[in-house]
Amino acid sequence: VRAILHVDLDAFFVAVELLRRPELRGKPVVVGGRGDPRTRGVVSSASYEARGFGVKAGMPLRRVARMCPEAVFLPVDFSAIRPMSERFHALLRSVSPLVESWGLDEAFVEVTALERPAAEVAAEIQRRVRDELGLACSVGWSTNKLLAKIASDLAKPGGIRGVTMDDVPAVVWPLKPTALVGIGPKTAQRLAPLGITTVGDLARADPTALEGALGARWAAWLQRSARGLDESPINNEPWERRSLSLEHTFDVDVGDADALRAKLREMAGEVAAHLREEGFLAQTVAVKVRLSNFDTYQRQKKLAAPSADADVLFAAALACFERVELSRKVRLLGLRASGLVAS
DNA sequence: TCTGGGGTCCTAGGACCC
DNA sequence: TCTGGGGTCCTAGGACCC
């Protein structure tokens, strides 16, 4: 039987800021966007004090300012966050080589071969993360990734928690379906009419009815998840970039086509520069356009030859852009390069 | 009082080729 | 001239993750 940990840094972006600004400790601190609630942006990370006011990840900064006028707003600073994330992952790899990164602030660690109690390894990791990085984390442990992740969610903030197969009916079944990785709000909405509003409902649901709603493959996978079953291995392959993109939400929606084309040209230059920095050529360019009513369109175009040239990317992006009918002002422009090959 | 920015994966239809 | 099936590529869209 496997021993899997899921380690999740608590309020990571905020915690990184507090290391260099300890005077903010104990205050409602919100990291997101450009750190200015007068501009469009959302919460990336909120301190637990801020969460006490109802602040949540993904919430518009403007709304946070109204809910919590004393909140301290800070911009997202990846130059500080990324090195800390790398130290975190290096620490985990010193415990076991089987580490699967899950974003900047989370990872699965398989410790089966250590032949030590998972809870003990969890406590050691938590202590080392505190002593060596100055950060708090929550750790969940179980016999698979699915349950370890649920356990760490239950352990937040700052706890250690195990969820075993035997715990599934009592601990997992009362949770909402969105507690399972892979079930988001859309799927929850499709499950509700079937009378499925908890993981337990999902586990007990009639397979045929579920297949009708979601298709056979997905229905089977969901129902296995709801029963706590997951055999997926730890993927400790280094991450490989598949695409590189940039997007920008205008503070005020833009209707002027020339201004939009100018922005697209600027973005093409930046994406091309990033591609060259990382040693890639792109084979496909995609443009995303979000209108003021939130209708979103994506158009993509395969290049005649792989390229990281700003003019080539811009020409393709422009061709994509011209195929979108601009029935309203534009809120967001995005440009993605994919089909990456080494240059 | 609306929902950022960076990613990934899956599905499905049509074109095209053998 | 018509027919069939399989495989792959391209595009669009949807959903999810942090």
Side-chain angles (χ1 to χ4, degrees):
Chain A
V1 59
R2 299 200 292 160
I4 309 284
L5 310 183
H6 181 257
V7 187
D8 194 340
L9 295 171
D10 295 334
F12 177 48
F13 291 12
V14 168
V16 169
E17 294 300 335
L18 291 179
L19 286 176
R20 48 184 179 183
R21 302 186 62 177
E23 73 279 8
L24 295 179
R25 229 166 255 285
K27 295 190 174 172
V29 176
V30 172
V31 173
R34 281 160 283 175
D36 180 352
R38 293 167 300 185
T39 64
R40 279 177 171 169
V42 299
V43 176
S44 289
S45 178
S47 71
Y48 282 87
E49 291 79 5
R51 291 183 204 195
F53 288 85
V55 176
K56 291 200 170 93
M59 192 176 271
L61 298 180
R62 223 185 288 266
R63 204 168 133 205
V64 174
R66 263 182 286 107
M67 290 172 69
C68 181
E70 61 263 54
V72 178
F73 291 90
L74 298 172
V76 178
D77 178 8
F78 282 107
S79 70
I81 288 163
R82 221 171 254 117
M84 187 58 89
S85 172
E86 278 163 27
R87 289 174 62 195
F88 168 61
H89 286 99
L91 189 159
L92 297 178
R93 282 192 299 271
S94 77
V95 174
S96 163
L98 292 176
V99 173
E100 177 174 345
S101 174
W102 192 257
L104 292 167
D105 61 345
E106 292 179 29
F108 293 98
V109 188
E110 174 149 11
V111 298
T112 312
L114 268 57
E115 295 184 340
R116 291 170 55 196
E120 184 186 306
V121 182
E124 180 184 311
I125 287 174
Q126 197 178 63
R127 178 185 57 73
R128 287 188 57 196
V129 167
R130 185 191 63 223
D131 294 349
E132 297 173 27
L133 307 180
L135 301 174
C137 65
S138 309
V139 189
W141 57 265
S142 187
T143 51
N144 62 44
K145 286 160 63 179
L146 171 80
L147 293 179
K149 168 95 173 144
I150 288 171
S152 75
D153 283 339
L154 296 173
K156 279 181 208 172
I160 293 173
R161 167 100 199 221
V163 172
T164 66
M165 224 27 137
D166 292 340
D167 294 331
V168 168
V171 175
V172 181
W173 284 2
L175 302 175
K176 284 190 261 181
T178 49
L180 301 176
V181 174
I183 303 189
K186 298 288 181 185
T187 307
Q189 256 180 49
R190 287 168 70 184
L191 294 175
L194 305 176
I196 298 170
T197 57
T198 67
V199 177
D201 294 336
L202 186 55
R204 291 182 296 256
D206 171 34
T208 316
L210 210 56
E211 279 176 29
L214 302 171
R217 280 168 57 97
W218 198 18
W221 178 81
L222 275 189
Q223 215 155 26
R224 284 180 55 74
S225 295
R227 292 172 178 155
L229 300 171
D230 169 32
E231 271 111 60
S232 63
I234 299 282
N235 174 12
N236 65 339
E237 300 283 312
W239 178 73
E240 280 180 44
R241 184 182 283 290
R242 288 169 183 81
S243 69
L244 193 160
S245 72
L246 217 55
E247 53 185 61
H248 177 75
T249 298
F250 299 103
D251 274 319
V252 178
D253 297 349
V254 175
D256 177 37
D258 286 337
L260 292 167
R261 281 189 280 265
K263 183 64 188 175
L264 211 51
R265 176 180 286 283
E266 181 191 321
M267 295 172 83
E270 288 178 44
V271 169
H274 282 155
L275 285 172
R276 292 193 299 270
E277 273 166 35
E278 297 203 26
F280 288 116
L281 302 174
Q283 296 176 284
T284 301
V285 168
V287 166
K288 177 154 102 181
V289 179
R290 173 126 69 215
L291 304 181
S292 54
N293 62 352
F294 270 81
D295 283 354
T296 304
Y297 302 89
Q298 291 195 59
R299 298 288 181 267
Q300 64 180 40
K301 189 170 169 33
K302 185 135 164 74
L303 301 177
S307 174
D309 180 88
D311 292 335
V312 173
L313 263 50
F314 176 61
L318 198 58
C320 293
F321 178 72
E322 303 292 355
R323 280 191 281 141
V324 177
E325 194 193 333
L326 300 179
S327 57
R328 288 204 162 61
K329 285 187 179 178
V330 173
R331 178 184 178 91
L332 170 148
L333 267 187
L335 201 163
R336 173 180 304 273
S338 61
L340 304 187
V341 293
S343 61

